[in-house]
Amino acid sequence: MSNRPTTAEAIASMQATLQAKMHADERDRVEAQEQRNRMAADIAAIRSDASSIDHRVTNIEGDMAKVKPVIAKVNSWQSMALGGAIVLGLLGGAVTMFWEAVRDKIISMFSGG
């Protein structure tokens, strides 16, 4: 007696192996399709987010275009205020020095010296 399977047994074994491979291939195909569907949904979400971000950036750019002239005016006002403060400081110093000189003269007139 030999240990060789009969033709029917060999065919049955091959058929079982083939069916197992077909089931595995079908499972892989379904998993790949599901993965592609998830990736397509992710890409659609990313595109939607990118579109939303583009829209918000466009709005911000528009707002900044409106705000830039105001900022420039505020900066010029700050520069003018600083310049005015410097001028007032110089005038105050000059008035103080003048008053000191006049005060010294008045004091020397009344003190006899």
Side-chain angles (χ1 to χ4, degrees), residues 40-92:
D42 290 347
I43 289 170
I46 290 169
R47 284 183 179 155
S48 175
D49 288 347
S51 176
S52 174
I53 290 169
D54 286 345
H55 181 68
R56 286 185 294 193
V57 167
T58 301
N59 287 342
I60 290 171
E61 286 173 343
D63 291 346
M64 287 305 297
K66 294 175 190 172
V67 170
K68 279 183 181 181
V70 175
I71 292 172
K73 285 182 183 177
V74 168
N75 286 339
S76 69
W77 294 340
Q78 286 177 339
S79 297
M80 287 190 292
L82 179 60
I86 291 171
V87 168
L88 284 176
L90 291 173
L91 286 175

Side-chain angles (χ1 to χ4, degrees), residues 1 11 13 17 24 58 61 63 76 81 84 95:
M1 289 228 144
I11 289 174
S13 173
T17 302
T58 301
E61 286 173 343
D63 291 346
S76 69
V95 167

Side-chain angles (χ1 to χ4, degrees), residues 7-57:
T7 303
E9 291 173 339
I11 289 174
S13 173
M14 291 166 118
Q15 187 176 15
T17 302
L18 183 59
Q19 282 183 338
K21 287 190 182 275
M22 287 172 58
H23 287 302
D25 286 347
E26 180 62 21
R27 245 188 352 262
D28 290 345
R29 187 191 66 75
V30 169
E31 286 178 12
Q33 182 63 42
E34 289 172 353
Q35 180 64 25
R36 283 191 299 274
N37 290 342
R38 283 192 300 271
M39 287 174 60
D42 290 347
I43 289 170
I46 290 169
R47 284 183 179 155
S48 175
D49 288 347
S51 176
S52 174
I53 290 169
D54 286 345
H55 181 68
R56 286 185 294 193
V57 167

